[in-house]
Amino acid sequence: MRVESAETGSVPTTVHPAEVDCASGVVTAAPASVECIPAERDSAATGEASRHAGYVEVVRPGMLTTVQDWPGRVGYWHVGVPPSGPMDDLSFRLGNRSLGNDEGAAGLECTLGGPALTFSESTRVCVTGAPARVSVEGKPVRMWRTVLVPAGGVLEVGAVTGPGMRTYILVEGGICLPEYLGSTATFTLGKFGGGAGAVLRAGERLPLGAPGGNGVSGVPMEDQPVLTHRWELAVTEGPHGAPEFFTRADIDTVLGTDYTVHFNSDRTGVRLVGPKPEWARSDGGEAGLHPSNIHDTPYSVGALDFTGDTPILLGPDGPSLGGFVCPVTVVAAERWKLGQLAPGDTVRFVPIRADRAASPRELGQARRAAWPSVLSTGGDGDDGVLRRADVDDEIGVTYRRQGDDGVLVEYGAMTLDLGLRARVHALHRRLLTEAVPGVTELTPGVRSLQIRVDRHILPVPRLLDLLAEAEAVLPAAADLVVPSRTVHLPLSWDDPSTREAITRYMHGVRADAPWCPWNIEFIRRMNGLGSVDDVYDTVFGAEYLVLGLGDVYLGAPVATPIDPRHRLVTTKYNPARTWTPENAVGIGGAYLCVYGMEGPGGYQFVGRTTQVWNHRATESPWLLRYFDRIRWYPVEADELLDMRADFAAGAVEVRAEDGEFRLADYRRFLDENHSAIEEFRTVQARAFAAERESWRMAGELSD
C-alpha cells in the first residue's frame, strides 16, 4: 500500500497506518502458543518443510468447520480486528489439556455438524463440546476422552444431537499454520487465519505439531460443562443502564425475561427475541433518531447490544466499535456459553457482583461450568457506574463497568465535541506510554476509552485509582496538536451494491422502514435539505476527521465533518441489515463510516469506496490513522470496480498530504462561524423533530 505525497509528486512512500503508540496495541499478556514444527502441505497457506511430517487431511469438511486457537487475535481491537478463537473456550481448552497440549493450541471448531478427517500417522485426539456421534474407523468412540486414530485412519464427527451448537476437535501436538497478526484463528468475514481464511475444504491438508507433554485419559466428568436448552448467563450491570438510557422497568425486564435465541445468529453475535424496551430517552440526539443510538463506543465481547429494539449478544467475531447501548455484559468466565446457544434455546440473564465472577483462567470446578444455574443474590446495584469525577469546571468523567474485565471511560455530555475526543487521545497516549501491567487492550471511541484488563494482575478498583492519578496530570485538551494527513479516497455515489443491500433488506427484514427504498432521500428529509443534490454537495464538500478505527471492522473509520455545517444527521437501521457490501460508505447519527468488510450494518448508505485494509500486508494492514482527514472525489461504479481490483493486486496509490490538527485553531474557527453554524443547526433540528414526530405517529417510537 502506498501514498503519493503532495510534496514529492509521484515519489511513492510507505503508508504507516497508525502512530507508533496506536499501531502496536497494548498487549502485555501474550497469546498462548504451542511450539510447532510445521509440515509440508498441499494447501497454499505454507510450503515450509519440517522435521515432523504429520498432517490431517480433510475428507469431508462438515457444515462450518474452522481452525481456531485461544485466546485468539489479541491486541488489535483498536483497529477493528476481533479476537476470534473458539466460541466455547472451555470445551476447547479442556480438550487440549487432556492431550498434553498447551491449552491454546490450534484445533477445529465444528458448527452443527463435524468433518471426516484422515491422519497421516497414529495420532491422539479428543472431541469435546456439544454432543455428536463420533467414530474412528467406523467404530463409535466417546467424546471428552482421548482416543487414538491409527495412521491412515478416519475420524468422523456427525451432526450435533443437542443440546448445544458447537463441537471441538483437538489434536495431539496441535494444528500448526502460519499466524496472521499473531494468531492462527480463522476470521472468515475478514478472510484471514486458518489455512486460507475460510472454512475447511475437502482435500485440504493441515500440518500437525510435534507431540508435547503427557496427556491423560480424558476430561474428568466434574470438569465438563453442562449443556442445556434453557441457559442462565451471569452478567454484570453496565456499561449503559438505567436511568440514563433504559427505564427501571426495562432493566427489570432484561433480568426477568426468558429471551429466545433467533435462528439468524452466528459468531458475530447471537440475536435474541424478547420484549421491546420502553427507553428512558426519546432519541439519541446527534447520535441518531432511535433512543438506542449513542456516539460510537468500544464494545465488549459478551455485551448485550440493543441495535434499535433488537438485543444481540456480541460474539468473538463481533465488532469492536459501534453506536448502540449495552445494558449488561456477560462475565468472561461465562462467555463459553455463547458458543453453545442454539436457535430456539431460552436465555435468562442473572446479575452477579463483578468481584464474585468466576475466573476465566480456571478450567476445573472453580469455573462453575458444571452448575446448570447461576447462583447469585444480586448484582452490584450501581447501574454499571463505577465512579464519577470532574475533569474541570465544564467537563466530567464517568467510569462505567464493561463486564468483570473492562472499564469504559466516558468524557463530558452526550454530545459531539472534538474537545472530548482530544481528552480521550491524551489519556490513551499516557496509558500507552506507562505500559501499565495488566492492561491488555486500549480502544478509543468518539468520547470514550475502553480499557480491558487481566483482573488477576490489575483489579478494577486499582485501575480506577490509576485513572484518577492520570487525570491529575493530563495536559489541557486545548493544547492538543496531532499529525493529521489529508487522505483522498474515491466514492461511487449511490453505488449499485448499496442499492442491492437496500433491496435485500426490504425483502428479508422489513419493507416499510422510513429509510426505504432510498437512503439518500431519507438523509435529505432528516436534514431539511432542498434536494438530494444538496446531500451530494455536502458529502463531497466535507472534510471528515477520523475519530475511531474499526467501525465496522478492519480499520474502517468512524469520522465526522470538521465543519458542523457539513454534519448530516441520520439514524441507524432498526433492525440492522443482515448484509452490507464491503467498503460501503454510510452515515449514522453525525458520523460517517466505511465498512471494512461484508457483514451486518445500520448506517444510511451514500455510496461505496475502495479498500481500507490491505490483506497483502503482514504488519499494520490498516490504511488510516486517528485524526486523518478524508476527502472524497467522485468516480463511476465501473471505475471503482477497476480500482478495487487494482488495490487488491497491490497496484493502487492513495494520495495524501501531511498536516496537523490543532484544537485551538478549530475552536477559533467555530467562534468565527458561529452564526452560520447555528442557522444550519436550526434548520436541521426542525427537520429532525418533524421526522421524529412522523415516526411516533407511525408507531416507530415509544411515547
Side-chain angles (χ1 to χ4, degrees):
M1 190 183 301
R2 300 190 297 176
V3 166
E4 182 181 333
S5 169
E7 297 179 358
T8 58
S10 61
V11 178
T13 59
T14 301
V15 177
H16 300 288
E19 298 171 25
V20 172
D21 58 344
C22 297
S24 60
V26 293
V27 181
T28 56
S33 61
V34 61
E35 184 177 357
C36 294
I37 307 173
E40 287 188 274
R41 60 187 297 227
D42 293 341
S43 171
T46 181
E48 298 173 323
S50 75
R51 297 187 300 275
H52 180 73
Y55 64 86
V56 56
E57 183 170 346
V58 181
V59 179
R60 186 191 71 241
M63 294 187 65
L64 182 62
T65 306
T66 58
V67 175
Q68 301 293 342
D69 62 16
W70 181 86
R73 202 163 277 106
V74 178
Y76 297 93
W77 200 237
H78 64 297
V79 288
V81 179
S84 299
M87 225 174 156
D88 174 358
D89 78 284
L90 183 58
S91 296
F92 185 93
R93 293 162 64 192
L94 284 169
N96 264 329
R97 188 172 68 174
S98 72
L99 293 166
N101 292 343
D102 183 290
E103 62 187 52
L108 299 178
E109 178 179 271
C110 318
T111 304
L112 290 176
L117 308 170
T118 184
F119 292 78
S120 65
E121 56 187 51
S122 180
T123 307
R124 291 189 307 150
V125 301
C126 184
V127 181
T128 65
R133 184 183 182 277
V134 182
S135 66
V136 174
E137 292 291 86
K139 297 180 180 180
V141 297
R142 292 172 59 189
M143 293 183 61
W144 301 96
R145 310 298 294 174
T146 57
V147 298
L148 186 68
V149 182
V154 177
L155 170 74
E156 291 192 74
V157 178
V160 169
T161 58
M165 185 79 169
R166 290 174 174 84
T167 300
Y168 294 90
I169 303 173
L170 293 312
V171 183
E172 184 179 30
I175 295 171
C176 288
L177 293 169
E179 294 184 345
Y180 182 81
L181 297 179
S183 172
T184 61
T186 305
F187 180 38
T188 57
L189 291 176
K191 301 177 183 177
F192 52 72
V199 299
L200 292 194
R201 300 161 297 179
E204 186 171 8
R205 287 185 178 182
L206 304 173
L208 301 179
N214 296 324
V216 295
S217 61
V219 178
M221 179 68 71
E222 60 269 21
D223 293 347
Q224 296 175 24
V226 170
L227 307 185
T228 180
H229 289 296
R230 186 187 184 280
W231 299 85
E232 291 189 359
L233 300 181
V235 298
T236 55
E237 302 164 56
H240 299 115
E244 294 174 88
F245 306 94
F246 294 86
T247 66
R248 293 290 180 198
D250 288 336
I251 299 301
D252 290 343
T253 298
V254 168
L255 299 177
T257 298
D258 280 355
Y259 288 84
T260 303
V261 177
H262 192 269
F263 68 87
N264 190 13
S265 299
D266 55 26
R267 286 177 52 89
T268 64
V270 179
R271 292 194 179 216
L272 302 176
V273 179
K276 179 179 177 180
E278 296 176 0
W279 300 106
R281 308 182 300 165
S282 60
D283 56 61
E286 291 175 297
L289 191 57
H290 195 275
S292 67
N293 298 163
I294 56 174
H295 297 278
D296 283 57
T297 296
Y299 287 141
S300 170
V301 174
L304 181 64
D305 184 33
F306 273 85
T307 59
D309 298 312
T310 303
I312 300 176
L313 282 166
L314 299 179
D317 283 357
S320 63
L321 199 65
F324 296 103
V325 292
C326 303
V328 296
T329 306
V330 179
V331 299
E334 292 264 299
R335 292 171 196 162
W336 69 268
K337 295 179 179 179
L338 273 62
Q340 299 298 355
L341 296 177
D345 286 359
T346 57
V347 174
R348 175 68 67 99
F349 299 107
V350 181
I352 69 169
R353 287 180 49 174
D355 61 358
R356 295 183 180 176
S359 170
R361 289 187 176 188
E362 297 288 345
L363 294 183
Q365 296 179 56
R367 185 72 172 260
R368 306 173 196 167
W371 299 2
S373 300
V374 175
L375 304 181
S376 173
T377 58
D380 287 282
D382 54 13
D383 299 315
V385 177
L386 297 169
R387 187 179 294 179
R388 296 185 192 271
D390 291 327
V391 172
D392 53 35
D393 293 338
E394 297 181 355
I395 300 176
V397 58
T398 302
Y399 301 95
R400 301 184 185 274
R401 182 186 297 106
Q402 283 197 316
D404 60 319
D405 59 352
V407 172
L408 184 69
V409 183
E410 284 189 347
Y411 286 107
M414 190 68 71
T415 58
L416 175 51
D417 181 348
L418 297 186
L420 301 181
R421 182 61 180 86
R423 192 74 184 180
V424 169
H425 183 73
L427 178 61
H428 185 198
R429 289 183 63 90
R430 179 168 184 83
L431 293 177
L432 285 170
T433 300
E434 291 184 346
V436 180
V439 173
T440 58
E441 297 266 12
L442 291 174
T443 304
V446 170
R447 50 183 284 272
S448 58
L449 179 68
Q450 181 195 81
I451 306 169
R452 306 221 67 81
V453 298
D454 180 338
R455 61 189 179 93
H456 293 279
I457 300 173
L458 180 61
V460 168
R462 175 56 182 151
L463 171 63
L464 293 175
D465 292 340
L466 291 175
L467 292 173
E469 295 170 8
E471 281 298 332
V473 296
L474 290 182
D479 296 334
L480 176 74
V481 180
V482 295
S484 177
R485 305 174 306 168
T486 300
V487 181
H488 299 267
L489 294 177
L491 179 63
S492 168
W493 185 255
D494 198 18
D495 190 78
S497 66
T498 60
R499 286 280 195 159
E500 179 186 351
I502 296 171
T503 300
R504 289 193 192 187
Y505 181 83
M506 293 178 66
H507 285 293
V509 182
R510 60 176 299 196
D512 62 343
W515 44 85
C516 293
W518 193 17
N519 291 177
I520 294 174
E521 165 57 25
F522 176 70
I523 295 171
R524 181 208 65 76
R525 189 171 75 235
M526 276 203 68
N527 289 274
L529 299 178
S531 70
V532 292
D533 288 341
D534 293 331
V535 181
Y536 178 98
D537 292 341
T538 302
V539 170
F540 281 102
E543 196 169 55
Y544 289 87
L545 188 68
V546 175
L547 303 181
L549 296 172
D551 186 4
V552 179
Y553 295 107
L554 302 191
V558 56
T560 194
I562 293 177
D563 187 338
R565 291 167 293 184
H566 292 147
R567 288 179 190 162
L568 301 175
V569 176
T570 71
T571 193
K572 306 175 184 78
Y573 280 43
N574 177 30
R577 292 183 300 272
T578 56
W579 180 75
T580 301
E582 182 185 54
N583 305 132
V585 179
I587 299 175
Y591 302 102
L592 177 139
C593 168
V594 177
Y595 285 80
M597 62 186 200
E598 286 188 11
Y603 280 42
Q604 305 292 335
F605 292 124
V606 295
R608 192 185 192 197
T609 187
T610 191
Q611 295 89 326
V612 293
W613 186 271
N614 183 2
H615 282 274
R616 288 173 168 263
T618 56
E619 295 182 5
S620 302
W622 49 97
L623 172 66
L624 298 167
R625 313 170 187 169
Y626 301 128
F627 292 98
D628 273 351
R629 308 171 193 229
I630 299 173
R631 294 297 303 264
W632 301 109
Y633 63 90
V635 295
E636 296 297 324
D638 290 345
E639 184 181 1
L640 178 66
L641 291 178
D642 290 340
M643 296 176 73
R644 292 180 57 79
D646 289 343
F647 191 103
V652 165
E653 295 182 354
V654 177
R655 185 166 62 90
E657 300 102 27
D658 291 332
E660 60 185 18
F661 176 80
R662 294 177 175 268
L663 187 62
D665 291 346
Y666 174 69
R667 287 177 169 172
R668 187 159 42 251
F669 167 82
L670 296 182
D671 290 340
E672 293 170 352
N673 294 276
H674 176 76
S675 296
I677 292 170
E678 288 306 306
E679 182 180 349
F680 171 83
R681 285 175 169 167
T682 298
V683 172
Q684 188 179 62
R686 190 180 301 122
F688 186 95
E691 184 68 22
R692 185 187 179 282
E693 178 62 17
S694 71
W695 280 35
R696 190 187 67 80
M697 295 296 292
E700 289 283 336
L701 299 173
S702 302
D703 289 330

